[in-house]
Amino acid sequence: MKIFAIGDPHLSFGEGVQKPMDIFGGQWVGHTEKLYKNWSETVAPEDVVILCGDISWGLKLEEAMADLDWIHALPGKKILFKGNHDLWWQSISRLNKLYEDGTMCFTQNQCHVAEDPETGLRTAICGTRGWNCPGTDGYTDHDRKIYERELLRLRLSLEEGRKAGADQIVGVLHYPPTNDMQQESGFTRLMSEYGVKTCVYGHLHGKDAYKHGLKGIFNGVEYRLVSLDYVEGMPQQVIPKEG
């Protein structure tokens, strides 16, 4: 079993949902076809794929269902996290009743434990949406309230992973874990406190934004940007680590 991650598919297959992504640059031209090809050729049915938010442009669940069905038809078990554009995301209990085969897991305030049937290695996949971190330009008191709420949600998820007795933890955010200056944040402190092996995140698009994302080892945790345009539509193998 392998664990992959990718963020920001920004799908819009729903009837009446018009959001062509190629207006944001050449890297988005044919992005759904590219993602489908890469995913289908890379991911096996027994593998796990983490989706780091911004899944669908649908405003309501009914508008997002075509996108969720499209993901559901792809190989592997999918662990979905909420992004800032996922306005269709409703109660977690309702979402987790959508697919009875267990291959679509919507995650909020809890974790998902994936066990490798061959090695018995248990990986807790823990995370939350995240938010703008202190030190970000224009940071407001409103940002602080959301930031603190997201920290609480991350701790709840990580604590569940710890209680599950997993062998290792993969952290998931939609937003970057730091501000643009890559200064320590509550998110990075929690990732280090709970011994997270690797943290994946998305949200950043375009060359000017990529450079602000924390990458590599920071306080003992590996951070990886996996937004779709950054990884050119290729799901990134997280566990076991490539190379």
Side-chain angles (χ1 to χ4, degrees):
M1 181 194 76
K2 298 176 182 177
I3 298 177
F4 297 86
I6 193 165
D8 309 87
H10 285 294
L11 303 176
S12 57
F13 291 116
E15 184 176 354
V17 181
Q18 300 294 326
K19 197 69 177 183
M21 290 299 294
D22 53 12
I23 64 173
F24 297 107
Q27 68 272 29
W28 288 100
V29 174
H31 82 284
T32 55
E33 293 85 354
K34 186 185 302 182
L35 175 60
Y36 181 86
K37 181 177 185 296
N38 290 337
W39 187 318
S40 299
E41 294 177 353
T42 304
V43 179
E46 65 272 16
D47 293 336
V48 173
V49 182
I50 301 166
L51 288 117
C52 305
D54 280 4
I55 294 159
S56 170
W57 281 114
L59 299 179
K60 300 177 181 179
L61 181 58
E62 293 75 18
E63 296 175 336
M65 281 306 302
D67 301 327
L68 298 178
D69 288 344
W70 188 85
I71 293 170
H72 177 246
L74 290 166
K77 182 168 186 176
K78 301 89 181 176
I79 313 299
L80 297 86
F81 289 82
K82 185 179 181 180
N84 58 303
H85 289 299
D86 290 319
L87 303 181
W88 53 271
W89 189 287
Q90 300 182 7
S91 75
I92 200 69
S93 59
R94 180 182 179 187
L95 291 174
N96 278 315
K97 292 177 182 177
L98 291 175
Y99 299 93
E100 296 181 353
D101 64 359
T103 64
M104 296 277 279
C105 179
F106 299 84
T107 310
Q108 185 172 296
N109 297 347
Q110 80 271 33
C111 78
H112 175 82
V113 177
E115 181 171 346
D116 190 317
E118 294 185 1
T119 66
L121 188 71
R122 302 174 74 244
T123 301
I125 300 169
C126 306
T128 190
R129 178 187 62 180
W131 196 249
N132 296 323
C133 294
T136 300
D137 287 345
Y139 190 82
T140 66
D141 188 57
H142 176 68
D143 287 316
R144 179 186 59 79
K145 291 177 181 178
I146 300 175
Y147 168 79
E148 291 178 351
R149 183 188 68 194
E150 289 298 307
L151 287 177
L152 176 60
R153 287 179 167 175
L154 178 59
R155 183 177 288 279
L156 287 171
S157 182
L158 289 167
E159 189 63 28
E160 184 172 302
R162 174 180 282 177
K163 289 179 179 178
D167 300 293
Q168 57 190 1
I169 298 177
V170 172
V172 183
L173 295 170
H174 173 65
Y175 279 82
T178 68
N179 58 30
D180 287 353
M181 295 175 285
Q182 301 181 16
Q183 296 172 325
E184 186 180 49
S185 73
F187 297 119
T188 61
R189 285 190 289 271
L190 281 173
M191 296 292 179
S192 296
E193 177 185 341
Y194 281 85
V196 170
K197 180 182 182 67
T198 299
C199 174
V200 291
Y201 65 96
H203 188 67
L204 299 180
H205 304 300
K207 292 181 180 179
D208 289 340
Y210 299 154
K211 62 186 179 184
H212 296 301
L214 181 64
K215 306 176 195 71
I217 305 297
F218 182 81
N219 290 342
V221 181
E222 179 193 25
Y223 289 89
R224 296 179 64 176
L225 172 60
V226 295
S227 53
L228 185 143
D229 49 328
Y230 182 72
V231 299
E232 300 181 342
M234 176 63 73
Q236 298 297 292
Q237 186 176 325
V238 179
I239 302 294
K241 186 177 179 181
E242 294 174 293

